[in-house]
């Protein structure tokens, strides 16, 4: 009977384990994979380090809180930043403006996507995707990582 139960559970693409923690991961369905918790955290952390998505997540919004909410700012230069989730559930600090792709080096080019909920045309969130596989045209607007435009960045 145990063999029949394990066959019906999904299998992790990396370690081939199957169990209740193996599920489809990622915020965008086209870019997702079935992974267990251990493999997912390993892959997501490696991606975050290589892409520079090491920002702390936005604090949870409390609808009953009546305190003034300030926009997020850079802790080094005090400029406003846009903190966005990535497809792999990590957060990245982006600039609040777009620049032509020719002015931004490839490791710092990001694009914001608005994935839609299943069976509805309504976008549910903004997700940051780093541009990597296909280079944009030189005049195409991209969102630079804040680390690239920070005035107090290390030279």
């Amino acid at each position: 009977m145990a063999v029949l139960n394990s066959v019906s559970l999904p299998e992790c693409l990396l370690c081939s384990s199957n169990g209740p923690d193996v599920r489809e991961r990622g915020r965008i369905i086209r870019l997702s994979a079935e992974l267990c918790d251990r493999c997912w955290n390993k892959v997501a952390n490696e991606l975050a380090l290589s892409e520079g998505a090491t920002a702390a997540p936005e604090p949870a919004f409390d609808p009953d809180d009546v305190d003034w909410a300030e926009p997020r700012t850079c802790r080094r230069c005090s400029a406003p930043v846009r903190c966005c989730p990535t497809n792999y559930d990590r957060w990245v600090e982006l600039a609040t403006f777009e620049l032509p792709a020719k002015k931004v080096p490839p490791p710092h080019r990001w694009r914001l996507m608005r994935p839609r909920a299943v069976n509805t045309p309504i976008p549910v969130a903004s997700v940051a995707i780093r541009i990597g596989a296909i280079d944009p045209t030189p005049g195409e607007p991209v969102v630079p990582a804040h680390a690239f435009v920070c005035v107090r960045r290390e030279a």
Side-chain angles (χ1 to χ4, degrees):
M1 190 61 145
V3 173
L4 291 177
N5 286 339
S6 66
V7 171
S8 65
L9 296 174
E11 184 176 314
C12 177
L13 288 175
L14 295 179
C15 67
S16 299
S17 68
N18 47 355
D21 67 333
V22 178
R23 61 183 172 89
E24 197 166 315
R25 308 294 179 134
R27 292 179 182 261
I28 299 175
I29 301 301
R30 296 182 311 226
L31 303 175
S32 61
E34 287 187 350
L35 298 171
C36 65
D37 287 340
R38 186 172 45 88
C39 292
W40 170 251
N41 285 325
K42 182 180 176 188
V43 168
N45 289 338
E46 287 174 3
L47 264 173
L49 284 175
S50 69
E51 293 185 349
T54 57
E58 287 285 340
F61 176 71
D62 182 12
D64 295 332
D65 189 9
V66 294
D67 289 340
W68 184 259
E70 293 291 331
R72 191 168 183 158
T73 58
C74 176
R75 60 189 176 282
R76 289 178 295 211
C77 69
S78 300
V81 294
R82 182 187 313 171
C83 192
C84 295
T86 62
N87 184 44
Y88 44 90
D89 293 331
R90 301 301 183 262
W91 293 75
V92 63
E93 286 183 346
L94 301 176
T96 57
F97 52 86
E98 294 180 339
L99 289 174
K102 65 183 176 185
K103 294 186 177 185
V104 181
H108 299 286
R109 294 177 185 162
W110 291 81
R111 184 170 285 133
L112 293 177
M113 292 185 66
R114 308 257 334 206
R116 302 190 188 303
V118 179
N119 299 326
T120 180
I122 300 170
V124 292
S126 290
V127 176
I129 304 289
R130 196 175 77 76
I131 302 171
I134 300 173
D135 286 338
T137 59
E140 189 175 346
V142 296
V143 180
H146 179 72
F148 172 68
V149 296
C150 185
V151 293
R152 297 232 180 183
R153 70 173 184 237
E154 288 78 15

